[in-house]
Amino acid sequence: MTESAREPELMQKIVSLCKRRGFVFQSSEIYGGLKSAYDYGPMGVELKRNLMTEWWTFMVTSREDVVGMESSIIMHPDVWRASGHVGNFNDPLVDCLVCQERFRADKAPKVQMGAATPITLGDKARAKLAEDKVKALLAAPDATGQAVDSIKRDGMTILGTAAKEREYVCPNCGSPFLSKERNFNGMFRSSLGPTDPMAAVIEALRVGVAEGKNDEELRALADQVMNRSAVFLRPETAQGMFVQFQNVQQSLSIKVPFGIAQMGKSFRNEITVEHFIFRSCEFEQMEMEFFCEPGSGPKWLEYWKEQRRLWWEGLGLKKDKLRFRAHGQDELAHYSDGCFDVEYEFPWGFDELEGIASRTDYDLNAHMQGSKKKLHYFDPEADDPETGKKGWRYVPHVVEPAAGATRGVLAVLCDAYAEEFDEQGELSRVVLRLHPRLAPYKVAVLPLVKKDEQLVERARAITEQFLRAGIAAKYDEQHTIGKRYAKHDEIGTPYCLTIDAETLSDTTVTIRFRDDKRQERIPVQRAVEIVAEALRTGRL
Ligand code: GAP
């Protein structure tokens, strides 16, 4: 099955609009594409940048207690040893023995032990091959004890198998015939400078340390040797802020509680990339580490949960499509004393948009241990709870709202996408009802006739007025006026201004509102004011 065929129909339409209108393209498309990476086109880059600017304004520049920073993508490898990413950032990797799909065991469809597990392939030819494979697997000496003659094929589906070993099946074909689970580290490993990690592996083999070792031991050995000179692309922006906590605090003499925020690229070698830009290997995050007094984590967790709700709702996301899901005790990381996921109802169901976690003092402690440097904070005005004396030295606790920027773009696109139908039930238009501050263009300026020089000149002058006011405007003269409206509806441009003969004689202009297609005649000089007001209030 192709990737896009697995997506719900609505997602396929959004993916198609993204390509058609220059939001998101498959990376390296002319070379067949790279499954896990995406490029943002002229509209997409504006939308993503607008979203990230909104986050930065809300989280940093409109507050006194949060500052920003930008750390490097490649950090000292010991950062990732101390944080636990080298040892623990593993996903359980499994191969389907029938269709060869490689997937994450913990994300696979669950089934009850003993339940029937029909296996469905994309066409009859593949189903026939799969049937032979299933029969061969059942006939093998280490098979699960099911009778080969219980297997039947009905078109593209193989019936008669059951879950005998695992409580999950292949997400592609539903097969219960699976390889052993192996740990797969999600970090991208590379080397810095002119080092040759293979030379170290060859040297290890030459001195004979590989002798008598099985595959697993050999793999561990190679990993160990390669990791000696390895660096990693960061899998989250967060660690950059933990390791610079003291530099930031001391350089600004900033008092706890305060936050450090950062936006930027992160990289994870995901086993399953899915749902377009929802889960990719290269993506962008918007994270903030809020350092606070020991014991105050739960209070700040509630505070940031509310702030983040206000932010997502403020971008116009439908309230009934947003929800907060508290992590159960069994889901919490061992260092966390509370965590919420902000979930959005994507076309395939509710899924994570952001995590808001109380991480206690785990990260700073881990980096104190790893670096042997003290990362305490001294509050001269607070009483030390242990001694009762003035002056308290402690390791701050941290509350972290960690959002996906690229995932946020997808949520915004899904939320804004709307189709309208005429009285006969035919699709009459597709419109992106983006919040005006997120829209790539805020206004399109359209001369009614492109051959009329006076109209063109006037339209260009009006476009210039918007640009001078810092408002992204697009002069557009191609195609009929109807096609231009349709194009700007699909891009999400909140307003179209149509320049016609009357504009030349009485300096009025037709303004068309994207959301309800309403058209009004307004004085030209009010146009900038109307658009600026929409940007301020979010309302058209
Ligand atoms: N510092 C904590 C942290 O990184 P996370 O839940 O792993 O937590 C935070 O990531 C957010 O980053 C997620 O809620 C999601 O929006 C985004 N994210 C994580 N992995 C992603 C991926 N492979 N592709 C796109 N976005 C991703």
Side-chain angles (χ1 to χ4, degrees):
M1 227 186 298
T2 62
E3 275 306 304
S4 72
R6 282 183 202 169
E7 293 291 0
E9 196 189 339
L10 175 59
M11 266 304 287
Q12 292 181 33
K13 288 179 180 170
I14 291 169
V15 173
S16 152
L17 180 139
C18 281
K19 178 169 178 180
R20 190 167 73 245
R21 293 300 182 194
F23 282 92
V24 184
F25 307 124
Q26 181 70 66
S27 161
S28 324
E29 193 185 285
I30 60 169
Y31 287 98
L34 199 60
K35 199 171 150 204
S36 54
Y38 293 92
D39 294 344
Y40 289 77
M43 295 301 102
V45 75
E46 293 300 331
L47 173 59
K48 177 155 68 68
R49 213 165 265 181
N50 291 342
L51 182 83
M52 293 174 84
T53 302
E54 285 295 307
W55 186 87
W56 195 256
T57 306
F58 186 86
M59 297 294 283
V60 185
T61 52
S62 67
R63 306 181 59 103
E64 287 199 66
D65 57 354
V66 179
V67 294
M69 71 167 282
E70 224 173 85
S71 62
S72 55
I73 284 173
I74 299 172
M75 297 165 73
H76 194 292
D78 284 348
V79 169
W80 307 110
R81 292 195 180 96
S83 68
H85 284 84
V86 170
N88 303 323
F89 194 58
N90 295 322
D91 289 327
L93 174 75
V94 179
D95 289 317
C96 173
L97 301 179
V98 176
C99 73
Q100 267 65 56
E101 176 87 353
R102 184 161 278 185
F103 63 92
R104 267 175 72 169
D106 56 333
K107 299 270 176 192
K110 304 270 178 289
V111 289
Q112 292 214 327
M113 204 55 102
T117 53
I119 302 169
T120 305
L121 279 298
D123 54 55
K124 277 191 193 166
R126 270 186 280 173
K128 178 85 193 69
L129 284 175
E131 183 187 5
D132 296 343
K133 219 176 266 177
V134 168
K135 286 181 174 165
L137 284 163
L138 289 177
D142 57 349
T144 55
Q146 287 178 78
V148 175
D149 55 14
S150 65
I151 301 303
K152 286 194 178 50
R153 186 169 58 82
D154 181 5
M156 297 187 292
T157 302
I158 297 144
L159 302 163
T161 63
K164 295 277 187 180
E165 289 179 335
R166 317 270 175 91
E167 288 180 311
Y168 60 85
V169 291
C170 167
N172 185 46
C173 70
S175 135
F177 300 101
L178 307 167
S179 72
K180 270 191 190 164
E181 288 183 13
R182 320 192 273 291
N183 272 340
F184 176 76
N185 191 283
M187 279 197 297
F188 279 93
R189 182 166 54 188
S190 187
S191 43
L192 195 63
T195 49
D196 177 7
M198 287 314 284
V201 176
I202 292 167
E203 186 55 29
L205 291 174
R206 204 190 303 283
V207 298
V209 287
E211 230 148 86
K213 292 197 159 51
N214 64 27
D215 281 6
E216 224 158 283
E217 289 163 336
L218 277 176
R219 185 181 291 278
L221 177 73
D223 245 11
Q224 205 183 33
V225 173
M226 288 178 81
N227 275 353
R228 271 185 226 144
S229 62
V231 290
F232 304 94
L233 300 190
R234 68 178 179 202
E236 59 173 16
T237 61
Q239 298 302 324
M241 298 179 272
F242 292 128
V243 301
Q244 294 295 0
F245 158 73
Q246 205 160 58
N247 275 336
V248 172
Q249 191 274 318
Q250 290 178 353
S251 62
L252 297 179
S253 303
I254 191 166
K255 287 186 178 157
V256 169
F258 75 95
I260 309 178
Q262 154 157 239
M263 312 185 290
K265 293 247 178 181
S266 291
F267 301 83
R268 296 183 190 178
N269 206 354
E270 300 279 5
I271 295 170
T272 314
V273 287
E274 57 183 352
H275 305 314
F276 193 34
I277 53 174
F278 179 81
R279 193 185 310 284
S280 46
C281 289
E282 177 177 341
F283 57 98
E284 285 187 76
Q285 289 186 304
M286 310 182 289
E287 298 196 286
M288 194 273 287
E289 309 304 323
F290 195 76
F291 299 91
C292 56
E293 271 186 10
S296 66
K299 177 186 90 183
W300 285 112
L301 181 64
E302 280 306 313
Y303 170 82
W304 282 110
K305 186 182 144 202
E306 178 59 11
Q307 291 300 302
R308 299 305 302 141
R309 184 183 65 74
L310 289 174
W311 188 74
W312 286 112
E313 285 181 7
L315 293 179
L317 292 197
K318 295 177 190 83
K319 287 186 185 169
D320 60 340
K321 286 191 167 265
L322 273 174
R323 74 177 186 198
F324 282 85
R325 192 181 64 79
H327 281 209
Q329 282 304 320
D330 54 336
E331 244 184 304
L332 285 178
H334 58 281
Y335 51 79
S336 175
D337 59 4
C339 184
F340 291 92
D341 280 349
V342 182
E343 294 187 336
Y344 178 76
E345 191 176 13
F346 290 95
W348 61 91
F350 275 99
D351 219 331
E352 181 186 332
L353 196 51
E354 171 164 0
I356 308 168
S358 172
R359 303 178 61 114
T360 67
D361 53 1
Y362 174 83
D363 302 275
L364 288 181
N365 275 330
H367 288 301
M368 286 206 290
Q369 261 189 4
S371 66
K372 312 280 180 267
K373 301 276 175 355
K374 290 207 162 78
L375 297 175
H376 292 86
Y377 172 76
F378 181 68
D379 183 345
E381 276 139 39
D383 295 337
D384 184 326
E386 269 179 28
T387 62
K389 290 189 184 145
K390 258 248 168 313
W392 186 16
R393 186 178 301 282
Y394 59 82
V395 179
H397 284 219
V398 169
V399 171
E400 174 198 69
T406 38
R407 206 172 271 191
V409 167
L410 183 61
V412 160
L413 284 168
C414 292
D415 207 73
Y417 182 92
E419 292 175 346
E420 290 177 6
F421 298 87
D422 61 19
E423 278 160 14
Q424 284 72 47
E426 296 294 319
L427 181 68
S428 58
R429 74 164 179 156
V430 168
V431 53
L432 272 191
R433 298 190 206 280
L434 291 171
H435 187 295
R437 282 203 295 275
L438 297 180
Y441 297 128
K442 314 307 178 193
V443 59
V445 185
L446 320 173
L448 192 59
V449 188
K450 81 169 174 190
K451 286 189 183 133
D452 185 325
E453 274 177 26
Q454 276 183 303
L455 289 189
V456 167
E457 197 182 313
R458 190 80 182 96
R460 287 210 180 271
I462 292 172
T463 309
E464 192 56 35
Q465 268 177 17
F466 277 101
L467 295 176
R468 273 206 304 274
I471 295 174
K474 175 72 181 160
Y475 169 83
D476 201 341
E477 61 176 25
Q478 274 175 12
H479 304 298
T480 63
I481 196 77
K483 279 195 176 156
R484 280 180 273 170
Y485 285 156
K487 168 178 146 191
H488 283 283
D489 282 345
E490 287 199 4
I491 291 172
T493 309
Y495 300 103
C496 288
L497 293 181
T498 308
I499 316 302
D500 56 19
E502 279 177 65
T503 315
L504 302 176
S505 59
D506 69 359
T507 65
T508 60
V509 67
T510 300
I511 185 165
R512 177 184 179 272
F513 296 74
R514 175 196 69 199
D515 287 356
D516 57 7
K517 299 188 285 182
R518 189 170 89 248
Q519 297 196 14
E520 285 174 15
R521 200 84 201 165
I522 56 160
V524 171
Q525 66 269 31
R526 277 207 59 223
V528 171
E529 177 199 320
I530 289 175
V531 179
E533 178 68 2
L535 293 178
R536 205 177 57 73
T537 61
R539 281 191 296 276
L540 266 66

